[in-house]
């Protein structure tokens, strides 16, 4: 039983590390996009159309990253952390189900034949 607890804690650690990694990637991507947008600067009448098109692409990508980040964090909030999971309640539920299965097996075969 202790082995399953350790495995569960390890999986929780992996999940938390993965969420932290993804959050860090979002920050990094946003910073890079912001630097690229700032590098282009504010377009004027002399700015080539290709640069304006690239700026538009970067801004669009930035907005998509922001939306993806918001959706990711909203999903994480909806799921809740491992702290919200009551492992004892889950264990009790599993024990109850196993007890019902054992009781059904101990009851023996059903009376009467198959219809």
């Amino acid at each position: 039983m202790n082995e399953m607890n350790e495995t569960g804690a390890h999986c929780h650690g992996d999940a938390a590390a993965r969420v932290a990694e993804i959050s860090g990637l979002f920050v990094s991507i946003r910073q890079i996009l912001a630097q690229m947008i700032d590098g282009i600067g504010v377009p004027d009448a002399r700015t080539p159309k290709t640069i304006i098109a690239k700026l538009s692409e970067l801004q669009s990508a930035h907005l998509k990253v922001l939306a993806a980040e918001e959706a990711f964090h909203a999903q994480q909030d909806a799921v809740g952390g491992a702290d919200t999971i009551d492992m004892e309640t889950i264990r009790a539920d599993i024990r109850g189900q196993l007890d019902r299965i054992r009781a059904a097996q101990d009851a023996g075969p059903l009376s009467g034949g198959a219809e």
Side-chain angles (χ1 to χ4, degrees), residues 8-40:
H10 177 68
C11 291
H12 170 62
D14 287 348
R18 183 73 173 141
V19 169
E21 178 185 6
I22 291 170
S23 295
L25 284 172
F26 277 125
V27 170
S28 176
I29 291 168
R30 282 189 289 113
Q31 288 173 343
I32 290 169
L33 287 169
Q35 286 175 350
M36 294 173 76
I37 290 169
D38 290 344
I40 292 175

Side-chain angles (χ1 to χ4, degrees), residues 25-80:
L25 284 172
F26 277 125
V27 170
S28 176
I29 291 168
R30 282 189 289 113
Q31 288 173 343
I32 290 169
L33 287 169
Q35 286 175 350
M36 294 173 76
I37 290 169
D38 290 344
I40 292 175
V42 178
D44 57 20
R46 296 175 294 151
T47 306
K49 288 184 179 183
T50 55
I51 298 297
I52 293 172
K54 183 55 71 179
L55 179 62
S56 178
E57 287 177 29
L58 290 170
Q59 290 170 334
S60 177
H62 196 190
L63 289 174
K64 287 179 183 176
V65 169
L66 289 173
E69 184 177 16
E70 285 180 16
F72 175 75
H73 288 295
Q75 181 182 18
Q76 294 305 307
D77 291 342
V79 170

